[in-house]
Amino acid sequence: MNLKPVLILLGLALATIFALVCVLLTRERSPRTCQHLPPEQEDTEDGQSLVFADLSAEEMSQVVRYLQGHLGVPLVEASRAKPSENCIAWLDVQVPAKAEVLRFLDAGGARPPREALAVLYFGKQPEPNITELVVGPLPRPAYHRDVTVHKYGGKVPYHRRPTLAVEYKQIGGFLKSQVFPSAPAFMQQVMEYDGANLATVTAAPRGFQSGDRVTWFVLFQNVSGFFLHPVGLEVLVDHSSLDISEWAVSRVFYNGQYYRDMVQLESAYMQGRISVEKVRKAPRDGDFSSMKPRAPAAAPFPLQFEPQGPRYRVRNNQVLFQGWSFAFGMSVSRGLRLFDIRHKGERVAYEISVQEALSVYGSNCPAGMSTRYMDGSFGLGRYASPLVPGVDCPYLATFVDTLSLSDSLRPKKRKASLCIFEQNLGSPLRRHYSNLQSLYYGGLVNSALVLRSIATVGNYDYVWDFIFYQNGALEGKVQATGYPSSSFLHGDGLRYGNRLWEHTLGTIHTHFVNYKVDLDVAGVKNSLMAHDMVFEMTQAPWSPEQQIERPRLTKRVLDTEDQAAFLLHSKMPRYIYFAANSKNKWGHQRGYRIQITSSAGDHIPEASSMERAISWARYQLAVTRRKEEEPTSTSIYNQNDPWTPTVAFADFINNETITNEDLVAWITAGFLHIPHSEDIPNTVTVGNSVGFLLRPYNYYDLDPSIYSQDGVFFTSEQDFTACEINPLACLPKTASCLPNFPPFTFDGFRNMSRL
């Protein structure tokens, strides 16, 4: 018998058996797919949070149809409107008065009627103006009322209107068709202009006095990261006339010299009387300004996942997490905002919202030296950016779409423009290791919920966060990134910044952000308290001949708005808090402390003709009585007329009594930015983060996080490797699962579509 075939068959059989055993063993060891369990917190969503909800697409469409049919004037779509025509600039929800909302939420009162706020530009009227109309009730509008005079004390002049995208487009057409052709040799030989290789950036405000609408436009090479590619040419355009044919050039600047217009610049160039600084043509990708990685991809960066699914709930516009609940929304102009913020079922704040982001620039070029951007006028919510999973937010975050209607008659959906996630911050919220007397360890991981949006306003990207901690603290934070703004480097430019590239001056500028914080600590009526310390000299009781310097607590009630207004760099009490009328178990007034994180530059001098428009930035903190007629610290109309501000925050502070009143804290944080070579190609968020914390101060009888289910405690006498003793010991079992990472998607490049 031939044994060779038998041996071959036997070998194949053994190999097959071995392979099957390996597969079975591997399958047993393979982690299972993570199973999502419902959050422990009870879902209390009952629709009440919808009283704060942003407008739906259907509501926006209904408001537009109502306005088209009931105003008796033609309304042109804003995306193609001339300055001399009427249009709807934008819509937003009209949040009801606080008293109405609280009656509904807390006292079983009727749900307030749902209304929209419509901002209209009436250019085709004998007296062109901006009008604000409240339209309701939604979803089937039947009335409107003009609230402009009530809100602002009079009509809003037309020249104050925020600039629509179509107006920038019209100015671009004016430059291309009329301005640049008047200097053909200069534009062709120096700028190498081909009709598409130059980009413009606007300065603001627009002039020197009320009524002006005269804007400097800076020219850059139209490449990726064009903000870093100035070509030395800036044009001052007078676009104050409602007749586009009457627009004109008021001045031209090139490489340190001013000219009456492009014709004079062309004449000087042809006669050889100007100093030409020809800029090397940049490739389409921008070269040094490109954000394309300079290194190949390697091992993936660390990722977080939730072994049993998210521990928070998102229902409509409400979030619930570890004792927290709040409603969220997105204002077209001011961006991210929260309402009805509760911890352990008790309201701690009625509203927390972004108010404004301000940048004041310096330069030896005209646009740079005159720029004071008030980004709310451009729209912190309108320019909410689509978020990239894995970079802008954790890959497994919950992404939320937002809607807006601006520059159009149709609503626009911004896909994934908000994200919500729980984040393990990689450090303990609290801990102690005891190696004296008894041996034990106790601690709690610092895991917090984050609500985030990112607004891209021109060159800058603002990362807006609200963060909710398990100890009852809440943080508002903004991080700045994006491209630094730049001027053309010439003359004494280094007095105003650092050289970033051959012709690029990174210009010095300040960043200020303002928040509204309407705390309601154990009720609407609060007082403002200040605690701090002094050293006092005392005799040692057991040795009277010796002296001891000891810290002593100081206490003060801040009775008036003037006492509660702290100028930007003035000394402020280290502990300043809203105090309730009730007390905790230990006899202390329950409170929430305000703690500001800021490294702000200097505020513009109060003698400046435009300072009142940004007077909120005078103060690091100002606490005022809450008033319905003082809903915001600024106005979108201040940008284009800061000399006669529509809203001047300084007027809010008039020494009224603030003891046992409904109070609002207006918080300003900021930083000074002197761009440097490491800002190329892009400014990083590290070190560019400011904001505030709201921390319970005797609000509870003890730290509420002691009731967190994430707590860890074990002693030397316990088996800390056992699951029932130490939840960390369970992780090999509870966290050994495969998270479901969905395919990567991003709709940002299709994000301009209308519904």
Side-chain angles (χ1 to χ4, degrees):
M1 179 179 179
N2 190 348
L3 293 177
K4 188 174 181 179
V6 175
L7 293 173
I8 291 173
L9 289 172
L10 185 60
L12 290 172
L14 290 172
T16 302
I17 292 170
F18 179 76
L20 289 171
V21 170
C22 288
V23 168
L24 290 172
L25 290 174
T26 303
R27 182 176 295 172
E28 283 189 6
R29 290 197 302 268
S30 296
R32 57 187 169 78
T33 301
C34 296
Q35 300 298 311
H36 286 197
L37 301 178
E40 292 290 336
Q41 181 161 342
E42 182 183 354
D43 187 350
T44 59
E45 167 61 30
D46 54 8
Q48 285 192 327
S49 67
L50 294 175
V51 73
F52 304 109
D54 294 340
L55 298 177
S56 68
E58 176 60 25
E59 287 173 330
M60 292 178 184
S61 298
Q62 291 285 359
V63 171
V64 169
R65 283 195 283 270
Y66 174 86
L67 293 173
Q68 288 174 322
H70 290 80
L71 297 186
V73 296
L75 294 174
V76 177
E77 182 155 344
S79 62
R80 55 184 177 84
K82 299 175 183 176
S84 57
E85 295 178 316
N86 308 320
C87 68
I88 301 170
W90 52 265
L91 301 179
D92 207 341
V93 66
Q94 174 72 13
V95 178
K98 181 177 179 179
E100 290 183 63
V101 174
L102 293 185
R103 276 196 297 271
F104 167 63
L105 295 179
D106 301 342
R111 180 183 290 271
R114 188 155 167 79
E115 297 175 323
L117 177 68
V119 176
L120 295 102
Y121 293 178
F122 286 125
K124 195 173 184 179
Q125 285 195 357
E127 292 185 38
N129 67 87
I130 307 163
T131 295
E132 295 192 4
L133 300 177
V134 169
V135 181
L138 302 180
R140 290 176 291 279
Y143 62 81
H144 68 273
R145 63 182 184 274
D146 189 335
V147 295
T148 317
V149 174
H150 174 73
K151 288 176 68 173
Y152 305 117
K155 292 184 177 180
V156 179
Y158 198 54
H159 67 267
R160 296 183 190 173
R161 68 193 185 280
T163 309
L164 297 175
V166 67
E167 188 171 355
Y168 287 122
K169 185 177 180 180
Q170 290 159 348
I171 292 169
F174 168 69
L175 292 172
K176 185 174 181 179
S177 64
Q178 298 184 48
V179 178
F180 296 155
S182 62
F186 175 84
M187 292 301 296
Q188 196 279 323
Q189 296 170 23
V190 179
M191 297 287 112
E192 298 185 25
Y193 181 60
D194 62 8
N197 64 328
L198 294 178
T200 60
V201 171
T202 182
R206 310 179 190 282
F208 287 107
Q209 60 187 5
S210 293
D212 284 353
R213 202 172 179 85
V214 185
T215 306
W216 279 104
F217 288 91
V218 187
L219 278 296
F220 296 85
Q221 292 192 66
N222 189 17
V223 296
S224 180
F226 64 85
F227 303 102
L228 297 174
H229 293 270
V231 296
L233 180 63
E234 303 185 13
V235 181
L236 182 62
V237 177
D238 183 347
H239 52 117
S240 55
S241 174
L242 303 192
D243 184 346
I244 294 175
S245 67
E246 295 179 358
W247 289 357
V249 170
S250 298
R251 282 289 185 279
V252 172
F253 172 87
Y254 175 70
N255 193 23
Q257 299 296 317
Y258 290 86
Y259 303 90
R260 183 177 61 252
D261 52 25
M262 292 294 288
V263 173
Q264 187 183 37
L265 172 63
E266 175 82 351
S267 175
Y269 172 68
M270 295 300 292
Q271 296 172 28
R273 292 189 290 106
I274 68 172
S275 174
V276 173
E277 193 71 49
K278 194 166 183 179
V279 177
R280 179 176 57 87
K281 188 174 182 179
R284 188 67 185 158
D285 69 0
D287 188 24
F288 70 89
S289 63
S290 171
M291 291 187 65
K292 185 176 180 180
R294 312 303 202 257
F301 47 81
L303 295 168
Q304 289 194 23
F305 74 101
E306 297 146 326
Q308 296 180 347
R311 305 195 303 176
Y312 57 87
R313 290 180 182 270
V314 182
R315 293 288 183 270
N316 298 311
N317 65 324
Q318 187 184 50
V319 178
L320 298 98
F321 166 75
Q322 299 282 341
W324 285 103
S325 67
F326 59 89
F328 65 90
M330 182 77 78
S331 162
V332 175
S333 59
R334 298 189 303 279
L336 199 56
R337 57 189 177 186
L338 308 177
F339 292 100
D340 196 23
I341 303 100
R342 303 183 186 218
H343 191 244
K344 303 294 184 183
E346 192 171 13
R347 182 179 300 112
V348 296
Y350 177 76
E351 176 188 356
I352 302 176
S353 57
V354 179
Q355 294 291 293
E356 183 63 284
L358 166 71
S359 297
V360 177
Y361 282 82
S363 175
N364 63 342
C365 294
M369 73 175 71
S370 60
T371 289
R372 288 93 175 91
Y373 287 135
M374 305 173 203
D375 288 333
S377 174
F378 296 89
L380 292 171
R382 174 187 175 193
Y383 288 108
S385 168
L387 302 173
V388 173
V391 178
D392 295 333
C393 306
Y395 198 91
L396 295 178
T398 298
F399 292 88
V400 179
D401 303 337
T402 60
L403 293 165
S404 67
L405 190 149
S406 59
D407 287 328
S408 175
L409 292 176
R410 289 184 295 163
K412 171 183 170 182
K413 178 184 287 188
R414 290 181 174 81
K415 297 282 289 182
S417 50
L418 280 176
C419 70
I420 302 164
F421 57 93
E422 185 180 358
Q423 183 173 30
N424 183 332
L425 298 175
S427 62
L429 179 64
R430 50 174 175 77
R431 60 94 71 185
H432 181 65
Y433 164 66
S434 175
N435 59 0
L436 299 173
Q437 306 300 325
S438 57
L439 302 178
Y440 64 85
Y441 173 85
L444 177 66
V445 64
N446 192 3
S447 188
L449 185 84
V450 181
L451 172 68
R452 172 174 296 165
S453 73
I454 303 180
T456 301
V457 187
N459 58 304
Y460 260 105
D461 297 65
Y462 294 102
V463 183
W464 302 98
D465 286 352
F466 287 118
I467 307 170
F468 301 82
Y469 296 95
Q470 294 193 56
N471 68 327
L474 188 159
E475 182 176 9
K477 183 172 72 173
V478 59
Q479 303 171 81
T481 179
Y483 283 101
S485 187
S486 70
S487 289
F488 190 76
L489 179 59
H490 73 93
D492 63 350
L494 294 180
R495 294 182 62 192
Y496 306 99
N498 288 315
R499 184 176 187 174
L500 303 182
W501 214 253
E502 186 177 0
H503 298 287
T504 305
L505 175 69
T507 48
I508 186 172
H509 57 281
T510 60
H511 286 279
F512 291 93
V513 296
N514 188 244
Y515 293 90
K516 177 182 182 180
V517 179
D518 180 1
L519 282 167
D520 285 349
V521 181
V524 171
K525 302 291 187 180
N526 294 148
S527 300
L528 191 66
M529 305 291 292
H531 286 185
D532 213 319
M533 62 161 284
V534 295
F535 275 99
E536 66 177 11
M537 189 76 71
T538 186
Q539 291 180 328
W542 65 94
S543 184
E545 68 278 8
Q546 301 297 328
Q547 290 189 321
I548 295 176
E549 301 85 9
R550 62 181 176 184
R552 177 176 63 81
L553 175 63
T554 64
K555 300 180 180 181
R556 183 185 173 201
V557 179
L558 303 175
D559 295 307
T560 66
E561 290 177 337
D562 285 10
Q563 293 177 11
F566 297 93
L567 292 172
L568 186 61
H569 296 300
S570 65
K571 185 177 180 181
M572 189 172 81
R574 261 76 57 111
Y575 278 61
I576 191 163
Y577 65 98
F578 277 37
N581 288 317
S582 57
K583 295 181 178 181
N584 71 0
K585 181 178 180 180
W586 315 113
H588 300 295
Q589 282 184 284
R590 302 175 69 197
Y592 253 81
R593 176 189 172 196
I594 299 169
Q595 184 175 336
I596 302 172
T597 303
S598 179
S599 56
D602 292 339
H603 178 53
I604 192 170
E606 288 188 31
S608 167
S609 60
M610 64 178 66
E611 189 275 341
R612 277 176 50 78
I614 51 176
S615 53
W616 54 264
R618 290 181 197 173
Y619 308 97
Q620 54 188 313
L621 173 67
V623 177
T624 64
R625 279 194 191 182
R626 188 192 186 279
K627 298 177 181 177
E628 286 294 338
E629 58 269 27
E630 295 175 351
T632 60
S633 61
T634 185
S635 166
I636 59 172
Y637 311 124
N638 284 9
Q639 174 72 90
N640 289 339
D641 188 359
W643 308 282
T644 309
T646 305
V647 172
F649 177 75
D651 294 340
F652 291 12
I653 302 168
N654 52 15
N655 212 31
E656 288 185 279
T657 300
I658 57 171
T659 303
N660 197 29
E661 297 285 352
D662 190 1
L663 304 179
V664 173
W666 308 89
I667 298 172
T668 298
F671 65 93
L672 172 66
H673 189 190
I674 306 173
H676 45 87
S677 55
E678 291 80 10
D679 283 307
I680 300 297
N682 211 226
T683 296
V684 299
T685 55
V686 176
N688 294 321
S689 173
V690 298
F692 65 92
L693 279 160
L694 305 175
R695 301 172 58 186
Y697 185 64
N698 291 321
Y699 185 80
Y700 292 103
D701 297 334
L702 77 171
D703 176 12
S705 74
I706 196 65
Y707 298 105
S708 170
Q709 294 178 322
D710 296 337
V712 173
F713 177 83
F714 51 81
T715 72
S716 60
E717 298 173 352
Q718 293 176 302
D719 180 7
F720 44 75
T721 65
C723 263
E724 59 272 17
I725 300 298
N726 173 19
L728 297 176
C730 302
L731 291 179
K733 179 180 179 181
T734 59
S736 292
C737 59
L738 290 174
N740 177 25
F741 282 87
F744 179 85
T745 60
F746 181 66
D747 291 312
F749 303 129
R750 297 185 299 168
N751 221 29
M752 306 310 292
S753 60
R754 304 285 176 178
L755 296 177

